[in-house]
Amino acid sequence: MATETIIKTLVRKLPVFSGMEEAAFNQLMSHGTQRIVPKNSAVFQQGEEADLFYLLVQGRLKVTQVTADGQQIIVRVVNPGDLFGFAMALGRKDYPGTPVALVDSSVLAWPMEMMSDFMARNPTLAVNTMQMIGSRLDAAHSRIREISTQEVEQRVAHAIIRLISEAGVKDEGGIRIDFPVSRQDIAELTGTTLHTVSRIISHWQGKGWVEGGRKSLLVRDLHRLQQIADSDI
Amino acid sequence: MATETIIKTLVRKLPVFSGMEEAAFNQLMSHGTQRIVPKNSAVFQQGEEADLFYLLVQGRLKVTQVTADGQQIIVRVVNPGDLFGFAMALGRKDYPGTPVALVDSSVLAWPMEMMSDFMARNPTLAVNTMQMIGSRLDAAHSRIREISTQEVEQRVAHAIIRLISEAGVKDEGGIRIDFPVSRQDIAELTGTTLHTVSRIISHWQGKGWVEGGRKSLLVRDLHRLQQIADSDI
DNA sequence: CGTTGCCTTGACTAGTTTCAAGATCAGTGG
DNA sequence: CCACTGATCTTGAAACTAGTCAAGGCAACG
């Protein structure tokens, strides 16, 4: 099928599958099933038994976790080409978070056993996966450092810069994030409240550095945000 | 040599090396070099080129990271049997943190290339390492959730409970952490200041739940700390 | 065209940090 | 063995950041 071939070609180029033998790759692809995830719906729920692991082909997801007392945080944003829901690789049986589509998305899913089998037979895949998880660990540590040592304004600046670098698109007079992000989302990414985020963005807007909108944000002066993010003191 | 055999037997039992073939394991052990790390000295420095990876045989380390503006955080505490300094697995060439011995410690070191070689040939090792990193990622996310949503007192309670569960030893009328931990250390683990930590511990001491000391802490009522850590609101 | 969801803003409050000073303890060298 | 010194810890008071509470505006959607 045409779409299948397109997807296959796309997937083939992903770093996780680099260095994998053609035969193995083909076998992998033949076992994956595609699924469309409409905006605002979840691929699976936190706590569910992890029987499948996923690859985001197209679209954008946010992975949220809810704490015992109902507070929510966004663990990360999933970009096209990212794997997610690989609970097994983390040595657990249930999904630790809930991935929600920020825009209509399309994912590929495989049975979790395939992952262990394939990794046992494809050391490259295992090493690649490990490095992917490793870089995520690195990112998590950066975030811990930020939340621990920086003030809210710096953290918000950082979060926005990160989103821009992952999904920034040029727009009239600036750069815009390619998918809808609410103030609440930014708050959950930075460990603060939507009120504080709103105040900060209003302030920036007053200075002309950004232009706010409903679930959107146009960055006019990225350099200035960088300064805010990096400012010592 | 006698000590060498003892170490080998100890190492053999570690989860990371479980399922590894005897021959491979022996070869691995024959390439490792032992090193004594005196209290308060660093095994290596953050930013150095990562040419070796390590296993903590005996003792206790804290891994710190310094931010651009000089603020410090403790990334984690390394317990006997833990691997550390495996930068390669994270896909980077330099060490992301500095491990400092909290007590006189002993480590085993291997050339970093051995790690990739061995993982390429021992899928089990690769999967084990991946799961270890995965569980660390899990822990990092928990910490992000805590710092983002909980108040300092809860976070301090959590940190102490974690230290107790990793290295708690019975003492007269309570449990004590097996190695020296300063108020500053706890502050760097929880993203606060030593002043606030001191106040909180003083308060607990007033209630009779703990007993403070210089770089030490006797927990008299662990259950109460649990309550504090888990208290909603 | 009303209802719902998202965003903004002001006023108030509270938890933490910052600043400052002093107490206490451990180790060191005379 | 004891005074000295540096590190660690405690505590008070002031300053402030960010959260909470509350109300209203605005835009999208059915």
Side-chain angles (χ1 to χ4, degrees):
Chain A
M1 244 168 236
T3 57
E4 228 170 78
T5 318
I6 292 170
I7 289 178
K8 205 165 159 180
T9 317
L10 274 169
V11 175
R12 188 76 186 105
K13 288 180 188 145
L14 298 177
V16 222
F17 300 117
S18 77
M20 205 171 161
E21 282 170 31
E22 199 61 29
F25 177 75
N26 285 330
Q27 208 208 326
L28 182 70
M29 288 307 289
S30 68
H31 283 80
T33 57
Q34 204 190 343
R35 183 175 145 196
I36 299 295
V37 185
K39 181 173 174 173
N40 292 326
S41 66
V43 184
F44 52 75
Q45 294 292 328
Q46 174 177 357
E48 274 180 18
E49 197 191 338
D51 46 353
L52 298 169
F53 74 98
Y54 295 84
L55 169 76
L56 178 62
V57 176
Q58 204 178 67
R60 208 72 70 157
L61 313 174
K62 64 173 175 185
V63 179
T64 62
Q65 278 187 358
V66 232
T67 62
D69 57 319
Q71 297 241 51
Q72 197 174 83
I73 65 156
I74 296 182
V75 176
R76 67 179 178 117
V77 170
V78 182
N79 298 306
D82 288 355
L83 291 181
F84 65 98
F86 42 86
M88 188 238 103
L90 278 57
R92 45 187 302 165
K93 294 220 188 67
D94 60 328
Y95 294 118
T98 305
V100 176
L102 295 170
V103 296
D104 291 339
S105 303
S106 135
V107 302
L108 274 176
W110 290 274
M112 195 66 83
E113 312 88 66
M114 282 207 74
M115 190 169 206
S116 11
D117 290 359
F118 262 79
M119 287 200 304
R121 259 173 297 134
N122 293 280
T124 322
L125 179 60
V127 172
N128 287 345
T129 312
M130 191 184 64
Q131 295 199 345
M132 179 206 58
I133 298 176
S135 67
R136 217 155 282 172
L137 179 60
D138 228 25
H141 283 155
S142 304
R143 199 161 150 197
I144 290 174
R145 224 178 343 171
E146 279 177 23
I147 305 187
S148 303
T149 65
Q150 303 184 331
E151 319 222 324
V152 176
E153 190 176 16
Q154 291 180 282
R155 276 145 50 192
V156 171
H158 253 124
I160 290 171
I161 290 168
R162 216 170 293 142
L163 290 174
I164 287 281
S165 69
E166 286 171 8
V169 287
K170 284 224 172 63
D171 200 344
E172 354 93 36
I175 313 177
R176 187 179 295 285
I177 297 165
D178 198 18
F179 51 89
V181 193
S182 68
R183 305 287 179 271
Q184 178 70 41
D185 288 334
I186 297 176
E188 287 174 15
L189 277 170
T190 50
T192 179
T193 61
L194 78 161
H195 305 279
T196 304
V197 172
S198 180
R199 279 182 237 274
I200 288 171
I201 290 183
S202 294
H203 173 228
W204 290 349
Q205 185 158 22
K207 300 279 189 178
W209 304 332
V210 303
E211 204 166 303
R214 234 180 162 60
K215 291 204 167 205
S216 83
L217 188 68
L218 177 71
V219 178
R220 292 203 176 286
D221 190 347
L222 186 59
H223 185 64
R224 175 53 62 113
L225 288 197
Q226 289 277 12
Q227 286 185 330
I228 294 171
D230 297 339
S231 69
D232 299 9
I233 300 167
Chain B
M1 241 168 234
T3 58
E4 229 171 76
T5 317
I6 292 172
I7 289 178
K8 206 165 158 180
T9 317
L10 274 170
V11 175
R12 189 76 186 102
K13 289 181 188 144
L14 298 177
V16 222
F17 300 116
S18 76
M20 205 172 160
E21 281 170 32
E22 200 61 28
F25 177 75
N26 285 329
Q27 209 208 326
L28 182 71
M29 288 307 290
S30 68
H31 284 80
T33 57
Q34 204 189 342
R35 181 174 149 199
I36 299 295
V37 185
K39 182 172 171 173
N40 292 325
S41 67
V43 184
F44 51 76
Q45 295 290 329
Q46 174 176 358
E48 274 180 18
E49 197 191 338
D51 46 353
L52 298 169
F53 74 97
Y54 295 84
L55 170 77
L56 179 61
V57 176
Q58 205 178 66
R60 206 73 67 158
L61 312 175
K62 63 173 174 184
V63 179
T64 63
Q65 278 187 359
V66 234
T67 62
D69 56 319
Q71 297 241 51
Q72 196 174 84
I73 66 156
I74 296 183
V75 176
R76 68 180 178 115
V77 171
V78 181
N79 299 306
D82 287 355
L83 292 181
F84 67 98
F86 43 86
M88 188 238 102
L90 277 57
R92 45 186 301 164
K93 293 220 187 66
D94 59 326
Y95 294 119
T98 305
V100 176
L102 295 170
V103 295
D104 290 339
S105 302
S106 134
V107 301
L108 274 175
W110 291 275
M112 194 66 82
E113 313 88 67
M114 281 207 74
M115 192 170 205
S116 12
D117 290 1
F118 262 79
M119 286 200 305
R121 259 174 297 132
N122 293 278
T124 322
L125 179 60
V127 172
N128 286 346
T129 312
M130 191 183 63
Q131 295 200 344
M132 179 207 58
I133 297 176
S135 67
R136 218 156 281 174
L137 178 60
D138 229 26
H141 283 154
S142 303
R143 201 163 148 195
I144 290 173
R145 226 177 343 170
E146 280 176 23
I147 305 186
S148 303
T149 65
Q150 304 184 329
E151 319 222 323
V152 177
E153 188 175 17
Q154 291 180 281
R155 276 144 52 191
V156 171
H158 253 124
I160 291 171
I161 290 169
R162 216 170 293 140
L163 290 173
I164 287 281
S165 70
E166 286 171 8
V169 289
K170 284 226 171 64
D171 201 344
E172 352 93 36
I175 313 176
R176 187 179 296 285
I177 297 165
D178 199 17
F179 51 90
V181 192
S182 69
R183 304 288 179 272
Q184 178 71 42
D185 288 335
I186 297 175
E188 287 174 14
L189 277 170
T190 50
T192 180
T193 61
L194 78 162
H195 306 279
T196 304
V197 172
S198 179
R199 280 181 235 276
I200 288 171
I201 290 182
S202 294
H203 173 228
W204 290 350
Q205 186 158 21
K207 300 279 189 178
W209 303 333
V210 302
E211 204 165 303
R214 238 177 160 63
K215 290 205 168 203
S216 83
L217 188 69
L218 178 71
V219 178
R220 291 200 176 287
D221 191 346
L222 186 59
H223 185 64
R224 176 52 61 112
L225 288 198
Q226 290 276 12
Q227 286 184 331
I228 294 170
D230 297 340
S231 70
D232 300 9
I233 300 168

